[in-house]
Amino acid sequence: MRRLGLSFLVVVFAAAAGAPFLAPHASDAKFSELLYAPPTLPHVVDDAGAWHAPFIYQWRLADRLEQRFEQDRSTRVPLVWLRGGRLTQSSDDVRAPFLLVGADGSGRDVFARLLFGARTSLGLALVAALGATLLGGLVGGAAGYIGGIVDEALMRLTDFVLVLPAIYVVLALRSVLPLVLSSGIVFVMLAAIFAVVGAPFVARGVRAIVRSERQLEYAVAARSLGAGHARLLVRHLLPAASGYVVVQLTVLVPAFIVAEATLSYVGLGFQDPIASWGAMLQEASNTRALTDFRWLLSPAAAIFLVVLGLNLVLQQSGVNPVTISSDEPLGRLRPDSHSF
């Protein structure tokens, strides 16, 4: 199962990295005559049973009211390969574009937006998770090493954040900011909000580990040999928490993916025409996606694969995500989950 989870992650992240090459069109390219066009599947055998190089048939609008399309099977439209920096395209990209996963309500290629949206959603989740682990590691390390009133103040602050329902905190923080922002500002802003909300999960565990490790012989020896406080903390104590930090990083990534999808779904995330999985689901919610345009739900399937893959990798590695109470010994661990 671990290999299955890794394969899911490799496919999704490779597709996101290769989006400009794999996508037949730009994410904002529109085909005005193909609103909600069904997926365009390639063929190698025509109606007469003859074999050909991969080709597609052109879609024609049969009923504008119902947005019902029919294939024009009288003419084959060959696919061309490795042209214009893209893997494959239709030879007649104006009248018969290659829409592998169909088109959305603006006539845009859902497959292209799915790939470019993966860059946005996964990139945001990774940056936010790294920020949360860095901030949480520094806060937890300082609390565990310094102790005293600093430890007490920092832990009470993390407790305050932890008891709040995270997704509602994120929604509230985002809602007080201007609705219309550039995509770059939205990316940085959401990454910062997610990092602040996710940092306490890391800080509590790191604090407990540092608090325990600083009493061990190697830490005492380093201190007696003249190691300064910063060197002792950064070079000796924080690396002892690296395993815990990696686990929390892996858990936070899917949580932030779902959080971004939630914000975009309610209109507080990335705005059109920026492609993100959440923004695509928000558009799908305004259509008959469950009954007539099921291909618009493909971002939900992508999110499911990423979350499933990460969970399979964690479980099959024999590592369970845990949090460590700031007032408990290091050995007493209790399972927890990050609900965003």
Side-chain angles (χ1 to χ4, degrees):
M1 296 300 290
R2 184 171 183 269
R3 291 183 178 180
L4 179 62
L6 284 174
S7 65
F8 287 160
L9 296 179
V10 169
V11 169
V12 173
F13 281 93
F21 175 69
L22 296 174
H25 313 97
S27 62
D28 57 351
K30 297 182 178 181
F31 303 94
S32 57
E33 297 300 321
L34 295 173
L35 309 185
Y36 298 117
T40 307
L41 301 180
H43 302 268
V44 292
V45 181
D46 62 18
D47 292 344
W51 289 77
H52 304 273
F55 66 92
I56 60 175
Y57 291 116
Q58 180 181 354
W59 286 111
R60 295 191 181 279
L61 186 60
D63 189 319
R64 186 173 297 276
L65 181 61
E66 297 181 358
Q67 287 301 126
R68 182 168 53 85
F69 289 83
E70 295 179 352
Q71 284 186 332
D72 179 6
R73 305 184 72 88
S74 63
T75 304
R76 291 181 293 105
V77 181
L79 296 177
V80 295
W81 302 84
L82 302 177
R83 186 178 71 179
R86 302 187 184 278
L87 176 62
T88 184
Q89 288 178 300
S90 168
S91 58
D92 187 355
D93 208 35
V94 176
R95 293 182 297 176
F98 182 33
L99 303 173
L100 184 62
V101 192
D104 63 11
S106 299
R108 296 173 298 197
D109 185 354
V110 172
F111 181 64
R113 292 183 63 78
L114 190 66
L115 295 181
F116 284 100
R119 288 186 151 199
T120 304
S121 298
L122 295 178
L124 174 63
L126 288 173
V127 170
L130 289 173
T133 54
L134 178 61
L135 179 60
L138 292 176
V139 171
Y145 183 77
I146 298 173
I149 190 172
V150 174
D151 181 15
E152 184 70 17
L154 291 177
M155 286 302 98
R156 297 295 77 79
L157 180 61
T158 60
D159 288 342
F160 174 74
V161 177
L162 283 173
V163 298
L164 297 174
I167 188 59
Y168 296 112
V169 174
V170 173
L171 286 169
L173 291 175
R174 174 63 185 93
S175 62
V176 300
L177 297 171
L179 292 179
V180 181
L181 296 169
S182 67
S183 59
I185 294 178
V186 171
F187 186 97
V188 173
M189 177 193 63
L190 292 183
I193 293 175
F194 291 167
V196 170
V197 173
F201 295 100
V202 181
R204 293 172 65 86
V206 171
R207 178 262 186 191
I209 294 173
V210 170
R211 185 182 182 185
S212 176
E213 292 287 320
R214 70 178 181 177
Q215 306 298 330
L216 299 183
E217 293 180 356
Y218 78 91
V220 175
R223 188 162 47 244
S224 64
L225 291 174
H229 297 299
R231 179 181 178 85
L232 180 61
L233 179 61
V234 175
R235 295 292 299 274
H236 298 283
L237 298 180
L238 285 179
S242 59
Y244 175 83
V245 170
V246 169
V247 172
Q248 295 302 306
L249 176 66
T250 312
V251 173
L252 286 171
V253 169
F256 290 152
I257 291 174
V258 175
E260 183 277 325
T262 302
L263 285 178
S264 296
Y265 182 82
V266 298
L268 296 176
F270 294 96
Q271 302 297 318
D272 193 70
I274 301 300
S276 77
W277 289 346
M280 295 175 68
L281 289 176
Q282 195 276 336
E283 180 185 0
S285 69
N286 298 324
T287 66
R288 306 188 305 272
L290 288 176
T291 57
D292 299 328
F293 313 127
R294 295 184 180 88
W295 54 89
L296 297 181
L297 299 177
S298 53
I303 294 173
F304 172 78
L305 287 179
V306 173
V307 175
L308 176 62
L310 287 169
N311 282 319
L312 288 177
V313 170
L314 278 178
Q315 292 174 5
Q316 295 302 314
S317 297
V319 181
N320 293 321
V322 295
T323 57
I324 304 176
S325 172
S326 59
D327 300 318
E328 294 174 344
L330 180 60
R332 295 176 60 188
L333 307 182
R334 55 188 175 85
D336 193 19
S337 61
H338 303 332
S339 300
F340 285 90

